[in-house]
Structure formats: C-alpha cells, structure tokens
Amino acid sequence: MANQIKGRSGASGIYGLRALALMLGLFFLFNGLDKLAWFSDSGILATRLQGWLQNAPPSTRWYIETVAAPGVPFFARLVPLAELSTGVALIIGFWTRLAATLALFMVLNFHFARGFIFDPEFLMDGTGFPVVGGLLALALGRSALPFSVSRS
C-alpha cells in the first residue's frame, strides 16, 4: 500500500512539473513574440537599457555599460530568439531541464540588468521570484516528463 501511495504522489509530481513547464513555456513564448520588433530595430533594446541605467546600482551600471550596451545589435536578436526557443522547448517538452536551466540564467540576467534583483520588490514581482523558482524546479526536476517530445 505504501508503494501505491508513493507511486501516485510521484506521478502527480511529474504531472505538476509538466504543467509548470507548459505554463512557463507559454510565458516565454509570448515574451518572445512581444520582442519580434527587436530583430529589425535594436534601438528598442538600447532605449530600454538607457532607461535602466538611470537608477542603476554600480554593479548593474558596469554591466550595462561594458557588456549589454556594446552588444545591443547581438542581444536584440538573441533575446527574442532565446525566449521563443525556450518557450517552444518547454511547451513541447524538448530537453526540458536544459531549456529551464538556460531560461533561468536568462531571467537572472534580465533582472540583474534592470537592477531589480537587489530590490526587495523582486520577491513580490510576478516575473521575478515565481519564474526563477519555477525554472529552478524544472531544472532540478525529473528529466522524463509526461506528454513530452523527448524522454531524456
């Protein structure tokens, strides 16, 4: 009997992770679709970075000035492509753990560039802590999830 109960909770856990992957995949897909204009106009990202620079702490200021701003033409194409790819991978269940790990670093990078990761509001923002926690759960979770294209 204990094995049956353990088996059921394990199964519901992997279904829960699959639902989480689906929801986070939709989140990234729609974020990527919202940034499609960046492919043809990297100035959109440059303007956003300049806005973040206004009240940035020193570490964020350094990051924007030395890494993000000089790389705007590259990042303006990489970010939407990465969000779209991550979204599709999580939705269809293709290399879920890898997609979640890469997305986790992408989200942390985004919040660091905003200077938001050091702000207590990060803990209450819906695109911060819950997304980081969900991605961490997927990155650390079981690799074979139900209704996935890949089983590894």
Side-chain angles (χ1 to χ4, degrees):
M1 174 110 172
N3 286 341
Q4 289 176 346
I5 293 172
K6 182 181 176 189
R8 279 192 222 148
S9 68
S12 65
I14 62 172
Y15 285 110
L17 285 176
R18 187 66 195 105
L20 181 61
L22 178 65
M23 294 299 116
L24 285 171
L26 289 169
F27 171 79
F28 281 104
L29 179 67
F30 284 104
N31 271 288
L33 289 172
D34 190 48
K35 293 178 181 81
L36 284 178
W38 292 17
F39 281 111
S40 60
D41 183 7
S42 60
I44 299 168
L45 176 58
T47 302
R48 189 173 289 186
L49 290 173
Q50 286 303 313
W52 294 345
L53 203 52
Q54 300 295 323
N55 300 316
S59 58
T60 300
R61 177 173 292 282
W62 175 88
Y63 178 75
I64 291 173
E65 292 175 343
T66 59
V67 177
V72 161
F74 174 70
F75 293 125
R77 284 141 187 95
L78 178 66
V79 169
L81 183 63
E83 287 180 345
L84 291 167
S85 300
T86 298
V88 170
L90 291 175
I91 289 167
I92 66 172
F94 184 72
W95 290 351
T96 303
R97 292 176 72 190
L98 177 63
T101 301
L102 295 174
L104 176 63
F105 287 114
M106 186 170 46
V107 168
L108 289 173
N109 177 63
F110 168 76
H111 286 294
F112 179 76
R114 280 180 61 192
F116 196 54
I117 205 162
F118 303 115
D119 192 322
E121 285 215 24
F122 176 74
L123 301 174
M124 297 178 287
D125 181 63
T127 63
F129 216 52
V131 173
V132 168
L135 290 170
L136 186 59
L138 289 172
L140 297 175
R142 195 168 160 182
S143 60
L145 297 177
F147 309 113
S148 294
V149 171
S150 64
R151 291 290 192 185
S152 56

